[in-house]
Amino acid sequence: MSRNARSRRRRHTSPLDNPVIRVMTAASAVILIVLVCIGATSLMPQIDPASLEPTATPMAGSPTPVPTPTPEPTITPTPAVFAPFGAQYGHGGENLIPETPTPEPTPAPTPTPIPAPTQAPTATPVTYTTLKKGANGPSVMKMQEALIELGYLAGNADGDFGAKTQSAVVQFQAVNSLSADGIAGSKTLTLLYSGDALPASEAPEMDYLLLVNRDNKLDKSYAPTDLVEIADVIPAGVLKVKYKGTRANRVATEALYRMLEDAIDEGIGSWQVSSAYRGYSDQQALVDQSVANYRKNNPDWSRERCLSATYQTVAPAGTSEHMTGLAFDITVPGVSFTGTQQQKWLHEHCYEYGFVVRFTEDKQPITGFLAESWHFRYVGVQAAQVMVYNDWCLEEYIEKMGVK
């Protein structure tokens, strides 16, 4: 190359032609622009954000904005079922479709206050004065009237507490599961006047085969429910009752009456009942009296020995058949009964009327009692016939016949 050509090339070369210089120049320009912007921002006035909110009064020269109208909702009438076809679409008149009535609010029911339960006052229990045999007056009359109404006492209320009234009280107590002692205490009278007492017509049926012996003892409170005074059923011309007021079961007493009438018709008379119904306390009194007699006649005997001797002939309280009202001690006035024609006739015919000779010598090991020819027990005609034909005592009959 010539010298001139190299000189011309050297004269046309620029610094910007160098790449390094161009990059540095561009970076310097960017830095300059950033510095200018920062400086300009620092020089601008600060604007309060609250001033940007719209004010009630528009600024002068600013256009007033026109509010956009809110479209009214289109009310579609509720068509009535009776409106003509098309009325719901506005055809046929606006009055054909009734307005849907706005239901009136249903008032909430006012709750009725529930009154607090009133506690019933506690009734003061009424107490009654105890009445017993020998008493009299208005209180006895009131008691008799109640007994008559319930069927336990016959006749009129006379205000005298006699033997018949006592018998009625005993029956009332027995039927109503009270202690049958014949004394009208507060418990007896309270039930009698309560309106809840059982009448005599609802008395339980008597068990004529009731077994009572040393192994089958009756409770102290036991009392038969249908007792009558024997003298009220059997006339004195037929039977003498040794002790006034002696009572017995009604059915058994009526059977005794028929039996003695037939004996009299056959020429066998002069009959006496020495004992019939005895309560628990009556039986205990007999035991105590016998023990006293043994000690009197045998001073060197102990009470236990006297009691043992007594039990050979007197049943302990609760083990005597007399407590059932179904047993009779039949005798002849003033004469020892064993061996009399009366004794022989009864032993031969008593079963025909429902009676048996309860304690015989040959059955003593079974019955536990010595022979008593005067002691007759009512068991009913059918049972009496079976027992006599088979030579059974009551214990054997109950066992062999399976009686419960």
Side-chain angles (χ1 to χ4, degrees):
M1 177 180 296
S2 65
R3 184 178 295 200
N4 292 332
R6 286 195 299 266
S7 339
R8 288 193 301 268
R9 184 180 181 107
R10 192 178 292 122
R11 286 194 302 268
H12 289 286
T13 300
S14 172
L16 291 178
D17 291 338
N18 190 328
V20 176
I21 296 175
R22 286 200 301 270
V23 171
M24 293 179 61
T25 303
S28 299
V30 171
I31 293 172
L32 180 62
I33 292 172
V34 171
L35 293 176
V36 171
C37 290
I38 292 173
T41 302
S42 61
L43 296 176
M44 290 180 63
Q46 297 295 320
I47 300 175
D48 186 2
S51 63
L52 300 178
E53 296 181 1
T55 57
T57 303
M59 297 178 61
S62 300
T64 302
V66 179
T68 303
T70 301
E72 296 183 1
T74 302
I75 300 176
T76 303
T78 302
V81 295
F82 54 82
F85 180 78
Q88 62 268 36
Y89 302 107
H91 305 289
E94 61 182 1
N95 296 327
L96 293 178
I97 303 175
E99 295 182 358
T100 303
T102 301
E104 296 182 359
T106 303
T110 302
T112 303
I114 301 175
T118 303
Q119 185 175 2
T122 303
T124 302
V126 179
T127 57
Y128 298 96
T129 301
T130 298
L131 302 175
K132 59 180 65 177
K133 189 176 180 179
N136 56 67
S139 297
V140 175
M141 184 176 295
K142 178 182 177 182
M143 179 187 69
Q144 290 173 326
E145 290 173 349
L147 291 170
I148 291 171
E149 184 178 355
L150 290 172
Y152 293 98
L153 182 64
N156 298 320
D158 57 10
D160 291 326
F161 199 138
K164 292 183 179 180
T165 299
Q166 183 185 45
S167 178
V169 171
V170 168
Q171 293 187 50
F172 170 80
Q173 292 170 327
V175 172
N176 288 275
S177 302
L178 298 173
S179 179
D181 55 7
I183 300 175
S186 183
K187 189 174 182 179
T188 295
L189 294 176
T190 297
L191 180 59
L192 179 63
Y193 301 141
S194 68
D196 297 327
L198 294 175
S201 60
E202 296 186 21
E205 185 177 352
M206 182 65 191
D207 179 10
Y208 298 111
L209 294 174
L210 178 63
L211 180 61
V212 181
N213 55 29
R214 298 181 192 275
D215 297 325
N216 297 274
K217 186 176 180 180
L218 293 175
D219 187 78
K220 184 177 181 180
S221 62
Y222 173 84
T225 59
D226 193 14
L227 295 176
V228 295
E229 284 197 27
I230 297 175
D232 290 341
V233 178
I234 305 177
V238 175
L239 176 69
K240 177 183 178 181
V241 180
K242 186 174 183 178
Y243 300 103
K244 185 179 180 181
T246 300
R247 295 172 293 159
N249 174 267
R250 181 187 302 276
V251 174
T253 301
E254 292 172 349
L256 176 64
Y257 186 12
R258 293 192 298 271
M259 181 170 66
L260 297 183
E261 276 193 317
D262 290 347
I264 292 173
D265 289 343
E266 294 185 20
I268 310 296
S270 189
W271 300 102
Q272 175 180 269
V273 166
S274 299
S275 182
Y277 168 73
R278 292 198 298 264
Y280 188 96
S281 58
D282 297 328
Q283 190 67 27
Q284 185 61 51
L286 289 179
V287 171
D288 295 340
Q289 183 61 46
S290 177
V291 170
N293 290 337
Y294 275 113
R295 299 199 71 175
K296 180 180 179 180
N297 297 327
N298 303 276
D300 57 332
W301 284 16
S302 65
R303 187 181 185 282
E304 288 71 21
R305 184 175 180 181
C306 294
L307 188 62
S308 177
T310 292
Y311 285 159
Q312 296 297 315
T313 56
V314 181
T319 68
S320 172
E321 285 196 323
H322 285 286
M323 198 170 171
T324 67
L326 298 171
F328 300 85
D329 287 346
I330 303 176
T331 59
V332 176
V335 178
S336 176
F337 186 70
T338 302
T340 63
Q341 61 178 349
Q342 288 88 349
Q343 178 254 311
K344 294 176 182 178
W345 190 94
L346 285 182
H347 279 226
E348 182 179 355
H349 297 284
C350 69
Y351 75 93
E352 300 170 6
Y353 303 89
F355 290 91
V356 294
V357 182
R358 181 68 176 93
F359 305 120
T360 61
E361 187 175 353
D362 61 323
K363 300 296 181 181
Q364 181 178 335
I366 300 175
T367 63
F369 291 95
L370 296 175
E372 294 182 356
S373 63
W374 56 87
H375 185 98
F376 296 86
R377 162 69 189 270
Y378 183 80
V379 294
V381 175
Q382 182 178 358
Q385 290 178 346
V386 173
M387 291 169 66
V388 170
Y389 292 158
N390 291 278
D391 191 25
W392 291 341
C393 62
L394 182 56
E395 285 82 359
E396 291 174 306
Y397 177 87
I398 290 176
E399 178 185 357
K400 296 178 184 301
M401 298 297 290
V403 177
K404 295 182 179 181

